[in-house]
Amino acid sequence: MPAMNTGSPYLTNGWLILALLLFTGCGEKKVATTPGTINSTPLAPMEGKDAPLFEKLDPASTGLTRAPKIDPKHPERRLYATGYSVGGIAVGDVNNDNKPDIFISSGPGQNRLYLQDEPLTFRDITEASGIEERIAWSSGATMADVNNDGLLDIYVCNYDEENALFINKGITDGIPAYLDEAKVRKARVRDASHTPAFCDYDNDGDLDLFILMHQLVAADGTAHTIPDAYAVGKRGNAFVIPRYTLYFKIDQQLRDPETDQRMATLKAIGRPDMLLENDGEGNFVNVTKKAGIESEGIGYAVQWRDYNLDGRPDLYIANGSNDRDHLYHNNGDGTFTDVIDTVVPLLSVDHAAWHPRTLIMMAVLTP
């Protein structure tokens, strides 16, 4: 069973709906359409007129008992007010028994791997599988076979700590054995990593990796609460002092008309996104600049999707308030061109974003 790329880590509420949408992402099977028409496939009829579509199951019966919890005393609790407020989820068959299993990245808590023994009955195999406990605030997670050995690996994004790439080394008695090989495979990124998204964008038979970045959050305040985060130079222009250049930029240069005092307002900034190309052996090379990916924003969601059905996966990035979205058209030569101004002009300007818009927009864009 193929892995499910969860995309945004905001999947603790309504994740089933997002998961269904994401099954139509990178590597999707195209449905023939007739130009100028709308094609649809009806859902299967319900058994009863008032039959519920979903049923909430008790954690005691499913075995999924280790839900992420908010820790109000955590030293990095400021992250709860950002896109790192919750963890992520990835679904895939990690032991090749044709039953989907679940990996949960738990924010500041311990990540968990659950094996599905019976339908909707899971067993915690975190320690048994070698998923090591790390002191990190985890965000998005994705399952993918990065080295083409038929076994699902797990990539985990961490806030300002090294990301993890757990390689599936084999299955013994139904239990996969994982080893973090992010460092040796050149995928151990340390930044404001938010969401990993795998896709074979260059159609060479292996999965490449895009890492959506969010923002680094200053420990001593925000752009509106740190009065000394900028200084005014000799020529009267304000600049962010070096200590805060990873967190803020000058938004507006101001001057008091009465005192002629120079001032400024600050804006929180996102970190540059990253594209890593797979060399065919499960090792990665940073090709961000070479590919023409120049997006910097406070990222919330990302998805690969062939929006124009030319056989090449394109990339949609949804950013937060005051940052542009990006729709990168795959040129077919290893490079991308941002075409959002012409394809979706209303989303090329500053806006207030929320994460599922990526899924909605790519569903709309795909003919």
Side-chain angles (χ1 to χ4, degrees):
M1 175 174 290
M4 185 195 312
N5 179 354
T6 62
S8 170
Y10 293 90
L11 294 174
T12 54
N13 294 316
W15 68 270
L16 282 174
I17 297 174
L18 300 186
L20 289 173
L21 286 171
L22 282 166
F23 266 123
T24 63
C26 182
E28 66 190 289
K29 183 181 291 185
K30 299 297 188 301
V31 177
T33 60
T34 302
T37 65
I38 297 177
N39 296 280
S40 65
T41 302
L43 297 174
M46 297 174 59
E47 293 183 2
K49 181 178 180 181
D50 299 322
L53 292 176
F54 297 98
E55 177 186 356
K56 183 178 180 180
L57 302 179
D58 188 274
S61 67
T62 63
L64 301 173
T65 58
R66 301 288 290 270
K69 297 180 179 179
I70 293 178
D71 181 2
K73 296 183 180 180
H74 194 279
E76 292 187 292
R77 57 188 177 275
R78 65 187 184 278
L79 298 182
Y80 285 124
T82 71
Y84 297 106
S85 57
V86 294
I89 186 170
V91 178
D93 183 9
V94 299
N95 64 345
N96 290 342
D97 65 352
N98 295 316
K99 294 190 293 290
D101 310 300
I102 298 178
F103 178 87
I104 299 176
S105 55
S106 303
Q110 169 64 12
N111 300 332
R112 314 305 302 181
L113 178 60
Y114 290 95
L115 196 71
Q116 186 171 190
D117 292 321
E118 301 294 338
L120 298 178
T121 301
F122 297 84
R123 172 167 45 115
D124 189 338
I125 61 166
T126 307
E127 287 76 19
S129 65
I131 300 294
E132 61 189 50
E133 182 173 359
R134 301 178 63 189
I135 302 175
W137 190 297
S138 296
S139 184
T142 298
M143 292 183 184
D145 183 6
V146 304
N147 54 352
N148 281 335
D149 63 354
L151 302 172
L152 282 182
D153 312 300
I154 305 173
Y155 193 89
V156 184
C157 283
N158 296 314
Y159 171 80
D160 200 21
E161 294 288 348
E162 294 173 336
N163 295 345
L165 174 56
F166 293 106
I167 296 295
N168 192 330
K169 309 299 289 186
I171 302 167
T172 303
D173 296 328
I175 305 295
Y178 282 100
L179 182 65
D180 185 1
E181 297 186 0
K183 183 177 181 179
V184 297
R185 294 181 181 274
K186 310 297 184 184
R188 179 158 280 186
V189 175
R190 178 173 182 172
D191 210 307
S193 301
H194 187 273
T195 304
F198 283 93
C199 189
D200 184 12
Y201 77 87
D202 49 6
N203 290 330
D204 63 353
D206 53 52
L207 293 176
D208 311 297
L209 172 61
F210 182 86
I211 302 176
L212 179 74
M213 298 293 176
H214 193 61
Q215 67 178 124
L216 294 173
V217 185
D220 50 348
T222 68
H224 305 292
T225 62
I226 306 178
D228 57 349
Y230 73 91
V232 178
K234 294 181 179 180
R235 296 184 178 182
N237 290 325
F239 63 92
V240 178
I241 64 175
R243 176 183 173 185
Y244 293 105
T245 53
L246 292 178
Y247 311 105
F248 312 120
K249 70 177 182 180
I250 299 296
D251 187 25
Q252 289 182 303
Q253 300 273 357
L254 303 174
R255 183 177 63 180
D256 189 318
E258 296 183 0
T259 65
D260 201 39
Q261 180 181 358
R262 299 300 178 96
M263 301 174 294
T265 59
L266 299 178
K267 174 184 176 181
I269 58 174
R271 298 290 297 149
D273 299 321
M274 188 175 295
L275 179 62
L276 304 180
E277 183 182 2
N278 193 324
D279 68 354
E281 301 294 331
N283 305 304
F284 293 90
V285 178
N286 189 341
V287 295
T288 310
K289 292 184 178 180
K290 177 182 176 182
I293 302 294
E294 300 178 347
S295 54
E296 291 187 19
I298 300 178
Y300 279 87
V302 59
Q303 190 184 18
W304 292 98
R305 176 67 69 88
D306 183 6
Y307 78 93
N308 59 344
L309 299 182
D310 63 355
R312 300 189 294 263
D314 309 296
L315 188 66
Y316 192 97
I317 300 170
N319 289 319
S321 59
N322 300 319
D323 288 317
R324 303 171 76 253
D325 279 6
H326 300 277
L327 175 56
Y328 283 106
H329 171 73
N330 190 332
N331 298 319
D333 59 359
T335 67
F336 293 82
T337 301
D338 191 354
V339 296
I340 197 166
D341 288 328
T342 56
V343 178
V344 198
L346 292 179
L347 293 181
S348 66
V349 296
D350 294 349
H351 57 269
W354 71 299
H355 58 279
R357 189 185 62 239
T358 301
L359 310 179
I360 297 170
M361 286 310 305
M362 294 313 291
V364 171
L365 287 172
T366 302

